[in-house]
Amino acid sequence: MNSELKRLIKIAGTALEAEDRFLREAIAKNRTAYPSEKCGILRNNNERYYQFIIWRALVSSFPFTARIEIQSHDLVLNYPDDASKWFAVIEMKRWMSSTGEVEIPGIIRDINDKLRPSHAKNTLMLIFSAGPSGTINTEFGWLSKRLGISQVEDCSAWENYYFPTVNRVGEDVDFWLAGYQVNRANMASENYET
């Protein structure tokens, strides 16, 4: 994965962590409305919510123009000097069902139908999830196998960011964001999609 996409994942993870911290502190200050709750970012388990937080962070700190919901893509990064060229196309999915199976067809569909055919210079699948602390490598292995991604054992195909938080039932968990750079079907093209 190139250094700019790794940086994007770090910016995205830092922004999601800051949102989690903000919500947890706000709830702790408002015990009248939330007498026993501790949940932060997982209280709003919504892909578009996470997408907006990431977009907002990229607008303030990334050298490419960030746009959301462009031509059915979740996030597009344009070159600032030529808006007709796309540096990256990014699709985002939550992976939070109890079995993990429900979301797999949608993730595969985004990879095959949106990312692989893209003429953007880079294509990235971002996945949001949460689970018990210390299980992230096991989760990457399971997910990689279902998605047909190589390097399952060491999970080096993924770039990730995670942080501790609390889920809706008060359990300590890790929230994580993981990115997988998808190989495009037409790697030789220099004409980027607009």
Side-chain angles (χ1 to χ4, degrees), residues 1 14 23 32 34 92 106 115 119 122 125-126 137 144-145 157 161 167 177 181-182:
M1 182 174 299
T14 301
L23 287 171
T32 302
Y34 306 97
M92 302 180 198
L115 295 174
H119 296 287
N122 298 284
M125 184 78 234
L126 288 181
N137 284 337
S144 295
K145 187 180 250 183
Y161 185 100
N167 67 17
L177 162 71
Q181 189 168 6
V182 175

Side-chain angles (χ1 to χ4, degrees), residues 6-193:
K6 287 181 180 182
R7 184 170 165 233
L8 180 148
I9 291 166
K10 184 174 183 181
I11 290 168
T14 301
L16 292 166
E17 184 175 13
E19 181 74 3
D20 179 71
R21 191 170 38 255
F22 167 80
L23 287 171
R24 291 176 67 195
E25 289 172 4
I27 288 164
K29 291 177 184 174
N30 188 2
R31 286 296 175 207
T32 302
Y34 306 97
S36 61
E37 292 185 47
K38 296 179 182 178
C39 185
I41 199 165
L42 289 170
R43 111 181 1 271
N44 190 358
N45 189 8
N46 183 306
E47 179 180 308
R48 292 196 189 277
Y49 169 53
Y50 304 148
Q51 177 182 324
F52 178 77
I53 292 166
I54 292 168
W55 169 79
R56 186 175 60 192
L58 293 174
V59 165
S60 68
S61 62
F62 207 60
F64 299 94
T65 305
R67 301 184 309 153
I68 54 175
E69 298 299 328
I70 301 298
Q71 295 183 17
S72 79
H73 295 295
D74 293 334
L75 180 66
V76 172
L77 300 174
N78 294 89
Y79 288 93
D81 58 343
D82 187 350
S84 69
K85 290 188 178 180
W86 291 2
F87 170 74
V89 169
I90 301 161
E91 294 300 322
M92 302 180 198
K93 286 287 189 223
R94 288 178 313 109
W95 186 55
M96 299 219 190
S97 66
S98 60
T99 65
E101 294 285 352
V102 175
E103 300 93 337
I104 299 297
I107 295 169
I108 292 172
R109 197 169 29 257
D110 276 2
I111 289 171
N112 291 331
D113 298 348
K114 294 181 178 183
L115 295 174
R116 284 209 166 100
S118 173
H119 296 287
K121 183 175 182 182
N122 298 284
T123 54
L124 184 67
M125 184 78 234
L126 288 181
I127 297 177
F128 310 103
S129 192
S133 298
T135 63
I136 193 167
N137 284 337
T138 303
E139 291 171 2
F140 284 149
W142 191 93
L143 181 60
S144 295
K145 187 180 250 183
R146 299 303 184 286
L147 298 178
I149 296 172
S150 62
Q151 303 170 343
V152 173
E153 290 79 22
D154 65 6
C155 304
S156 62
W158 297 93
E159 184 70 25
N160 68 80
Y161 185 100
Y162 63 95
F163 56 90
T165 189
V166 178
N167 67 17
R168 291 201 61 110
V169 296
E171 299 168 332
D172 292 332
V173 296
D174 285 338
F175 180 96
W176 55 263
L177 162 71
Y180 170 69
Q181 189 168 6
V182 175
N183 293 324
R184 291 169 295 144
N186 185 2
M187 296 297 285
S189 176
E190 290 300 320
N191 298 317
Y192 306 126
E193 202 172 71

